[in-house]
Amino acid sequence: MITRHATIESLVRGNVPQTPDPDILRELAGGEIGALGELYDRYREPVRRFVARATSDADDVDDLVHATFLAAASSAGRYDGRPSCRPWLIGIAAQLLRRRRQSFGRFLVVLSSLRAIRATAADPRRALQARSEVERALVRISEPKRITLLMAEVEGLSCAEIAAALGVPIGTVWTRLHAARRELRRALQEGEKS
Amino acid sequence: MSANPCPRLFEAEAMRDGRLTGPERTSFERHVAMCPACSREVQALEALAESLRASPPDHTAADELHVRRERTQLLAAFDRALLGPRRSRIVGHRLRWPAAVAALVVAILFLPRVRRSAEAPAHASSAVVHADSTAVWAERMVGNCENVVLERGALWIHVDHSSREGRLLVVLPDGELEDIGTTFTVSADDGHTTRVAVQEGHVVLRLRGQAAIALGPGDTWIPDSRPVASARASVVPSADPAPTTRIDRGERRTPSPRSSASSAASPASDPSVDFRAAMAALDVGDNHQAGAAFADFLGKHPRDPRSEDAAYLRVIALQRSGDSAGMKQAAIEYLRSYPAGFRQADVEALSR
């Protein structure tokens, strides 16, 4: 909370409107660092939440968020001008998640073995139990299906946009969505029974 | 399990995914109005989506200090990218491991304390803003960050960080000013920042196209094109990107004649503010200042729980600054003070 003490009556104070996303991206494309700071402040939370939910590996969430904003900065000049750039950022994050899965598959096997050692110190079941029923069901779905479902149902991207972001045919998006919903509903039903 | 009660049930999902268009969609919408099974399926799909959209508690959520550090690292990485890949690669290779180790150590050791403090009764951060008669300004919340947007005029701002790790950002016409627990005055005119004067604590000034500048108590920053005769600018350019404007260094300082590092040694010296100031210097790449600030912190707050972190980060800062002799001495001091410290192995390697 900010307490104001205006010393002079003629103080002019108005609500400065939030800079539109396309303007921020235009400034960012011009190399203005303040624009990146503003973009980060505005969308760090939703991007981070998406990445954290999309990946089952919580350890590199920060790296992926960092990479998402840097990738956004480097491709800001190609932004299509939509009023909100949130879906665009989510698309970038999804691409990075996909690339990470492809490029670091073997590396993740090594990391997984290291995580097994660390698990003795902090029992992951506690964190899992703390999650909601939906979150618990969500982590049981494979990462490609989970990402597709979150992009469609949470971020509101169309199937065509998801297909473009993930570099897969639109039919694959439909298939993944159907399978993800089926698995999620089944997991929720099993959760209700137990 | 019974069979599908309606042969058109699958169309509920097809409609949701945009696979049904035109007459097919219209036909199914009419059908849903009359078919209880399809109506239930449409509602079930929407309920499933709604449960996903319900904001989940983020168990991996980072504390404010961590967010600020991530933000600073992002902007520094962007700066490096603008300056060219060759230099960034050199700097990156040289700093990657120390930076990673330092970030990891701070994250591991500092995060639990911050979270513990968050469990205490909630405190609102408190910022007091005095504006002059010409000021045009506003405040807004961006996430958890309090932004004070200054178009023109002068603001005197005091932020009380004694209650929690609050964050305040002054958005300037040509950049931004990040508060790190402080009292300061900032002025802007004609689309440019014209003056920043810090009375207490530290701020980081980031102007577009320029390196970040850390300002400490008593420092006054005035842009190159303006008269600077009366100002002492203890301004520190970032180690990475060279500033595009000249940094003037005057000699007059108010109110304290001491250096930035030692000036914080006032009786009211706050360990959290001192630690944050040292971290800020490290974040912006002012490694000499960071080394001095961590040494200062250790001198003033030897029993603080963060003293081991500070001792280790001092070694890292001196290593980054290229001061090998200073780094070895700091490493020896760390090992002497913390013979069974968490970073003993790393520091031993650096002490040789």
Side-chain angles (χ1 to χ4, degrees):
Chain A
M1 193 174 74
I2 294 178
T3 311
R4 285 188 196 79
H5 298 274
T7 52
I8 308 291
E9 280 186 5
S10 61
L11 169 69
V12 180
R13 185 170 64 79
N15 289 324
V16 175
Q18 188 165 276
T19 310
D21 284 2
D23 291 353
I24 289 184
L25 285 157
R26 207 170 298 123
E27 290 175 7
L28 186 54
E32 294 191 10
I33 192 167
L36 182 60
E38 186 150 3
L39 193 71
Y40 183 80
D41 290 339
R42 200 173 286 184
Y43 291 112
R44 186 196 74 85
E45 261 186 55
V47 169
R48 191 176 200 286
R49 197 180 307 126
F50 170 77
V51 171
R53 294 179 91 190
T55 176
S56 49
D57 184 359
D59 293 335
D60 49 6
V61 169
D62 284 334
D63 289 344
L64 283 163
V65 172
H66 184 96
T68 299
F69 282 97
L70 276 185
S74 67
S75 54
R78 297 194 295 275
Y79 182 62
D80 62 9
R82 275 180 288 181
S84 169
C85 70
R86 177 172 166 168
W88 180 69
L89 288 170
I90 295 296
I92 292 172
Q95 282 178 39
L96 292 172
L97 281 161
R98 183 174 65 98
R99 281 185 211 152
R100 182 200 62 154
R101 203 171 56 247
Q102 289 171 346
S103 309
F104 296 103
R106 281 190 296 275
F107 183 57
L108 286 176
V109 171
V110 178
L111 281 183
S112 300
S113 64
L114 291 174
R115 248 201 324 277
I117 298 167
R118 200 180 50 209
T120 57
D123 188 349
R125 284 173 299 182
R126 282 186 63 192
L128 203 61
Q129 281 161 4
R131 295 180 178 207
S132 71
E133 211 169 286
V134 174
E135 295 305 306
R136 281 203 299 274
L138 196 59
V139 294
R140 290 165 64 177
I141 302 173
S142 72
E143 191 169 295
K145 289 179 209 161
R146 188 164 61 231
I147 290 173
T148 308
L149 186 65
L150 289 170
M151 291 176 85
E153 298 290 22
V154 179
E155 301 300 332
L157 271 71
S158 71
C159 291
E161 288 173 321
I162 297 169
L166 299 179
V168 296
I170 195 165
T172 304
V173 174
W174 290 335
T175 308
R176 283 182 186 173
L177 279 175
H178 176 68
R181 289 190 187 111
R182 189 184 60 218
E183 289 173 28
L184 189 64
R185 289 166 89 169
R186 191 183 300 147
L188 287 170
Q189 282 166 2
E190 284 170 7
E192 281 174 11
K193 284 176 192 167
S194 61
Chain B
M1 189 66 72
S2 62
N4 285 347
C6 175
R8 296 189 70 178
L9 202 63
F10 73 94
E11 290 183 53
E13 198 169 357
M15 184 171 73
R16 187 166 191 87
D17 294 344
R19 280 182 279 154
L20 287 188
T21 53
E24 288 176 325
R25 185 184 175 99
T26 310
S27 163
F28 184 67
E29 283 172 347
R30 270 202 302 269
H31 171 75
V32 167
M34 293 179 293
C35 174
C38 288
S39 174
R40 273 198 303 275
E41 178 68 0
V42 168
Q43 286 171 13
L45 288 170
E46 178 53 32
L48 191 71
E50 193 56 47
S51 68
L52 284 169
R53 281 195 293 270
S55 181
D58 186 357
H59 294 285
T60 64
D63 65 281
E64 189 61 30
L65 186 66
H66 180 76
V67 171
R68 197 166 63 204
R69 197 172 304 128
E70 288 287 323
R71 187 183 193 278
T72 305
Q73 285 169 359
L74 175 70
L75 298 184
F78 181 65
D79 263 350
R80 281 198 295 275
L82 284 180
L83 284 173
R86 189 173 175 186
R87 179 175 176 183
S88 76
R89 269 202 300 275
I90 294 166
V91 173
H93 281 144
R94 188 158 50 86
L95 298 184
R96 187 171 300 148
W97 283 108
V101 169
L104 185 67
V105 166
V106 171
I108 290 170
L109 296 176
F110 201 65
L111 265 174
R113 289 182 193 114
V114 174
R115 283 186 180 153
R116 271 201 297 277
S117 68
E119 287 162 11
H123 297 286
S125 75
S126 127
V128 179
V129 180
H130 291 273
D132 78 353
S133 59
T134 64
V136 178
W137 65 290
E139 65 124 334
R140 68 186 186 207
M141 290 299 296
V142 179
N144 294 326
C145 179
E146 292 170 346
N147 281 8
V148 173
V149 182
L150 175 63
E151 281 191 17
R152 65 170 182 270
L155 298 178
W156 176 93
I157 299 175
H158 172 73
V159 185
D160 177 11
H161 284 269
S162 59
S163 54
R164 68 160 198 163
E165 303 280 348
R167 180 167 178 244
L168 183 134
L169 200 67
V170 181
V171 180
L172 299 161
D174 54 350
E176 64 183 30
L177 186 69
E178 182 167 1
D179 153 76
I180 314 175
T182 197
T183 302
F184 61 95
T185 309
V186 55
S187 309
D189 188 27
D190 197 23
H192 296 284
T193 307
T194 52
R195 184 174 183 272
V196 178
V198 180
Q199 283 88 52
E200 292 172 10
H202 292 75
V203 298
V204 176
L205 177 64
R206 296 189 197 94
L207 296 179
R208 288 172 192 150
Q210 296 189 29
I213 301 166
L215 297 172
D219 289 345
T220 300
W221 175 90
I222 293 174
D224 186 46
S225 57
R226 309 252 167 187
V228 294
S230 64
R232 180 214 183 273
S234 175
V235 177
V236 184
S238 164
D240 265 345
T244 54
T245 57
R246 184 170 61 88
I247 304 297
D248 294 287
R249 294 177 184 276
E251 289 305 321
R252 200 185 80 173
R253 166 188 281 264
T254 56
S256 166
R258 290 171 291 193
S259 69
S260 288
S262 63
S263 64
S266 64
S269 174
D270 179 342
S272 293
V273 170
D274 291 346
F275 192 84
R276 280 201 299 270
M279 284 302 303
L282 195 66
D283 277 348
V284 300
D286 182 9
N287 298 313
H288 281 294
Q289 170 70 15
F294 281 123
D296 191 52
F297 177 90
L298 289 165
K300 286 190 292 185
H301 315 290
R303 295 182 185 280
D304 188 276
R306 289 161 291 194
S307 54
E308 190 194 336
D309 300 353
Y312 176 69
L313 292 170
R314 181 182 166 219
V315 177
I316 298 299
L318 291 169
Q319 185 198 34
R320 288 186 189 179
S321 71
D323 180 359
S324 302
M327 178 198 72
K328 282 182 184 170
Q329 183 57 37
I332 290 165
E333 286 172 19
Y334 171 94
L335 294 169
R336 194 183 301 140
S337 302
Y338 308 100
F342 287 109
R343 277 74 53 146
Q344 183 205 12
D346 294 336
V347 177
E348 257 179 4
L350 294 171
S351 69
R352 290 182 202 121

